[in-house]
Amino acid sequence: MKKEIQIRNQVDDLQHVATFVEEIADELQLSPELTMNFNLVLEEMVSNVIFYAYPKENDQPIILTATSDDESISFIITDEGRAFDPTAREDADMSVNPADRQLGGMGIFITRQIMDDVTYQRINGCNILTMTKRLKD
């Protein structure tokens, strides 16, 4: 299976990401828990692109691709925004009270907890974040 959508770097377009995940979950007959986890991961990572990759006044595309086989599912987020490798960030310090914790790092922490593999590449001016989850052990 391979599916792809293109959204704009606008908060309102996050609803399309959720619909995309729901359609894939239905097609692959994923559990509600796994579907919820994928929605959380993609909302976190796509939100980062929306808020930080482009200047506010620019209306730019974000491409979300999903591929799966019998063993795993991968979600790939591609954008042409500022170079940023979320995998290079240290995880948020969970021992610190959330009110005292520095901003940033929670999204990639959550993503690493849910997904089995998270990689970043910068190719031809594009940020490419690939997140993979094994479906079978």
Side-chain angles (χ1 to χ4, degrees):
M1 184 265 328
K2 182 175 182 178
K3 292 187 178 291
E4 184 173 287
I5 62 166
Q6 180 173 309
I7 64 169
R8 300 167 302 130
N9 62 321
Q10 302 297 320
V11 174
D12 291 347
D13 277 13
L14 282 172
Q15 67 185 339
H16 301 300
V17 175
T19 301
F20 182 68
V21 172
E22 295 293 333
E23 289 171 359
I24 291 166
D26 286 346
E27 182 175 327
L28 298 178
Q29 299 179 342
L30 301 177
S31 71
E33 179 184 5
L34 194 54
T35 303
M36 181 183 70
N37 284 341
F38 288 155
N39 266 316
L40 177 61
V41 163
L42 291 172
E43 182 175 323
E44 284 289 334
M45 295 296 100
V46 172
S47 292
N48 283 344
V49 175
I50 289 170
F51 291 122
Y52 305 115
Y54 298 105
K56 297 282 185 246
E57 63 278 357
N58 284 0
D59 195 19
Q60 298 292 323
I62 301 168
I63 299 169
L64 180 56
T65 307
T67 61
S68 73
D69 56 27
D70 289 339
E71 302 295 319
S72 65
I73 184 167
S74 293
F75 293 97
I76 303 163
I77 301 170
T78 306
D79 69 83
E80 296 178 358
R82 291 183 195 101
F84 178 70
D85 180 357
T87 66
R89 290 215 43 154
E90 289 190 26
D91 286 339
D93 185 350
M94 300 308 288
S95 67
V96 175
N97 181 322
D100 298 328
R101 192 179 302 142
Q102 264 189 336
L103 285 179
M106 281 303 296
I108 192 63
F109 174 80
I110 291 166
T111 300
R112 285 181 176 138
Q113 296 301 307
I114 292 172
M115 304 304 281
D116 295 312
D117 189 41
V118 181
T119 60
Y120 169 84
Q121 297 175 290
R122 179 81 177 177
I123 300 174
N124 297 327
C126 291
N127 295 303
I128 304 169
L129 183 67
T130 304
M131 301 161 291
T132 303
K133 178 75 172 172
R134 286 185 299 280
L135 298 174
K136 296 181 180 178
D137 291 324

